[in-house]
Amino acid sequence: MALIVHKYGGTSMGSAERIRNVSERVAKWHAAGHQMVVVPSAMAGETNRLIALAKEIEPDPDSRELDMISATGEQVSVGLLALALKARDVPAVSYAGWQVPVRTDSSFGKARILSIDAERVHADLAAGRVVIVTGFQGVDPDGHVTTLGRGGSDTSAVAVAAALKADECLIYTDVDGVYTTDPRIVPEARRMEKITFEEMLEMASLGSKVLQIRSVEFAGKYKVKTRVLSSLTPPDIDLALEAASGTLITFEEDETMEKAVISGIAFNRDEAKITLMRVPDRPGVAFQILGPVADANIDVDMIIQNQSVDGMTDFSFTVHRNEYQKALGVLEAQVRSSIGGGEIVGDPKICKVSAVGIGMRSHVGIASLMFRTLSEEGINIQMISTSEIKISVVIEDKYMELAVRALHKAFGLEHRSGATESVAGV
Ligand code: ADP
Ligand code: ASP
Ligand code: MG
């Protein structure tokens, strides 16, 4: 007997029929003798609907009230799933985040989980009940409902698994695992049997929305055995077969891992670029520009400074698109006058495309293959950033799909053994 956490995303919970399927699958695991905790998302489209409704009333809604509204989607889901389980004579109980409680900080809309009380859930499990806990939401120290940011149910599930010391956390979604890139963009993308935690962390942080980045961080911190798999298989398939399907996140490389240099291509359309033209090239200028931006609580991702000509240079950086206007405002109001310089130019029509792989550590030539591939497609690279296991480029967003497809092909990701072969010569 094991303690298992299942997470079901919006599509998996998308209709009464799908919820019945989820209940059938959970009942199967329960009947096999496992203690079961289930963390569902809101039904597909529901969170978007709730946020749009709030914005109909007030275009710039108060963040506390917005969380109060957007958290309700998950509350409906847990109740419906409990009903579906009970209809199968499976004892079940549903809880909202505050009832567990899932304690978070007070950053409405992007709250961080601080702790989860395991006592109540353990008591229900000991009594043989399936426990259903809302994804995406928690409660702050003052009792206010908070939400964890879009895609946050993944994080709820892995955090619940960590708090309960679960044997495994299974993330059921509308694809059958983690692919070399989003299979909706590249149909030839290939599912990985396993992915290292480090690679998954990079893929998630660089835009692969199959897992929210914080869920991967939790999995790493608490060594939660986490697997991504399909909720769309028949719910009555053999349990052992299901348990071994999908993609497992591993904490150590082993000899059964595929020896790919690049394991995946990630992309992100959520950023915008800002350039300050002809700023003086002297000590302290980067701080003068980015200090006020940081003070305004705006995260900066990539930064680039050109070589100076006549003591003047261009300085560019990227921010999340949601914070683009705010960042421009800060620069106009606080920076331009203090450092002088020319125009401030903004460009929201960019995207970031990244190649990720731990094999990069021991291979040279990955960057040159990436740059050659983009140049052969006539795609101009605006910014570059690298780490030990990733290379990211900023390009014009209209080229995103072309770039992702070309890089996926160039790195041989669609063939089982191609990844090693295709970059062997570089
Ligand atoms: P859920 O509602 O189950 O949380 P999401 O829509 O948040 O599902 O995440 C699953 C989606 O992530 C897939 O439908 C797929 O389009 C997208 N995706 C992006 N990158 C990848 C990848 N590398 N592997 C698999 N899916 C990916
Ligand atoms: N329902 C939330 C969202 O749409 C959380 C999630 O699906 O993970 O973002
Ligand atoms: Mg998701």
Side-chain angles (χ1 to χ4, degrees), residues 81-394:
L81 184 55
L83 289 183
L85 280 162
K86 286 180 198 210
R88 294 180 177 277
D89 291 326
V90 177
V93 57
S94 66
Y95 291 122
W98 61 269
Q99 291 175 299
V100 175
V102 175
R103 296 180 206 281
T104 71
D105 64 18
S106 304
S107 306
F108 298 109
K110 51 176 180 181
R112 288 188 168 267
I113 295 177
L114 302 175
S115 67
I116 297 179
D117 232 327
E119 211 173 306
R120 189 169 193 174
V121 178
H122 274 308
D124 284 314
L125 291 174
R129 285 187 276 273
V130 172
V131 182
I132 310 166
V133 176
T134 46
F136 185 52
Q137 56 164 274
V139 61
D140 83 350
D142 300 317
H144 302 301
V145 171
T146 55
T147 67
L148 311 182
R150 299 309 304 267
S153 298
D154 298 329
T155 304
S156 307
V158 180
V160 163
L164 297 172
K165 301 193 170 36
D167 295 283
E168 190 160 1
C169 181
L170 301 175
I171 309 276
Y172 288 87
T173 183
D174 57 4
V175 279
D176 61 355
V178 180
Y179 277 67
T180 46
T181 193
D182 188 340
R184 288 179 211 284
I185 301 285
V186 182
E188 297 79 23
R190 188 171 47 78
R191 180 176 63 81
M192 291 175 261
E193 295 273 319
K194 295 178 181 177
I195 183 168
T196 66
F197 158 72
E198 281 173 289
E199 287 170 322
M200 193 63 242
L201 195 64
E202 286 285 4
M203 291 279 280
S205 80
L206 294 168
S208 291
K209 72 167 189 164
V210 63
L211 285 179
Q212 198 200 38
I213 172 130
R214 279 193 228 149
S215 70
V216 189
E217 288 168 357
F218 262 104
K221 188 165 175 194
Y222 298 100
K223 296 287 175 288
V224 180
K225 189 175 174 197
T226 305
R227 182 181 289 276
V228 177
L229 68 171
S230 174
S231 71
L232 304 177
T233 55
D236 59 352
I237 65 165
D238 178 67
L239 191 144
L241 207 65
E242 182 176 314
S245 67
T247 302
L248 179 69
I249 299 173
T250 62
F251 297 102
E252 272 154 34
E253 289 174 72
D254 62 47
E255 56 287 355
T256 67
M257 305 259 328
E258 298 167 35
K259 293 283 180 275
V261 176
I262 297 298
S263 58
I265 308 292
F267 53 85
N268 180 355
R269 269 193 168 123
D270 294 339
E271 292 188 18
K273 185 173 85 163
I274 296 176
T275 303
L276 286 91
M277 312 284 285
R278 291 190 58 75
V279 296
D281 188 13
R282 57 173 149 76
V285 164
F287 174 65
Q288 272 179 291
I289 296 170
L290 296 179
V293 174
D295 291 344
N297 207 9
I298 300 169
D299 286 328
V300 170
D301 180 22
M302 289 165 86
I303 303 169
I304 193 169
Q305 183 178 329
N306 282 349
Q307 177 132 18
S308 66
V309 178
D310 304 330
M312 304 296 267
T313 183
D314 297 340
F315 188 96
S316 300
F317 59 95
T318 63
V319 296
H320 195 282
R321 249 181 235 196
N322 290 346
E323 300 186 308
Y324 169 58
Q325 290 300 340
K326 190 173 162 192
L328 285 177
V330 168
L331 294 177
E332 285 292 353
Q334 298 177 43
V335 176
R336 190 209 278 277
S337 56
S338 67
I339 59 167
E343 257 183 298
I344 298 172
V345 184
D347 184 2
K349 290 200 178 115
I350 58 154
C351 74
K352 184 165 77 174
V353 177
S354 310
V356 175
I358 49 174
M360 252 187 239
R361 284 190 185 125
S362 49
H363 279 73
V364 290
I366 305 298
S368 76
L369 177 55
M370 183 161 179
F371 302 154
R372 187 172 78 213
T373 305
L374 295 173
S375 88
E376 281 167 4
E377 297 294 340
I379 300 172
N380 184 40
I381 300 171
Q382 302 180 16
M383 298 172 108
I384 301 167
S385 87
T386 62
S387 81
E388 231 192 342
I389 67 163
K390 72 114 204 272
I391 303 170
S392 299
V393 295
V394 166

Side-chain angles (χ1 to χ4, degrees), residues 7-11 40-48 50-51 70-71 73-74 135-137 147-156 212:
K7 181 261 172 175
Y8 292 91
T11 313
S41 297
M43 295 171 77
E46 185 59 10
T47 311
N48 287 346
L50 292 165
I51 293 171
S70 61
E74 271 69 12
F136 185 52
Q137 56 164 274
T147 67
L148 311 182
R150 299 309 304 267
S153 298
D154 298 329
T155 304
S156 307
Q212 198 200 38

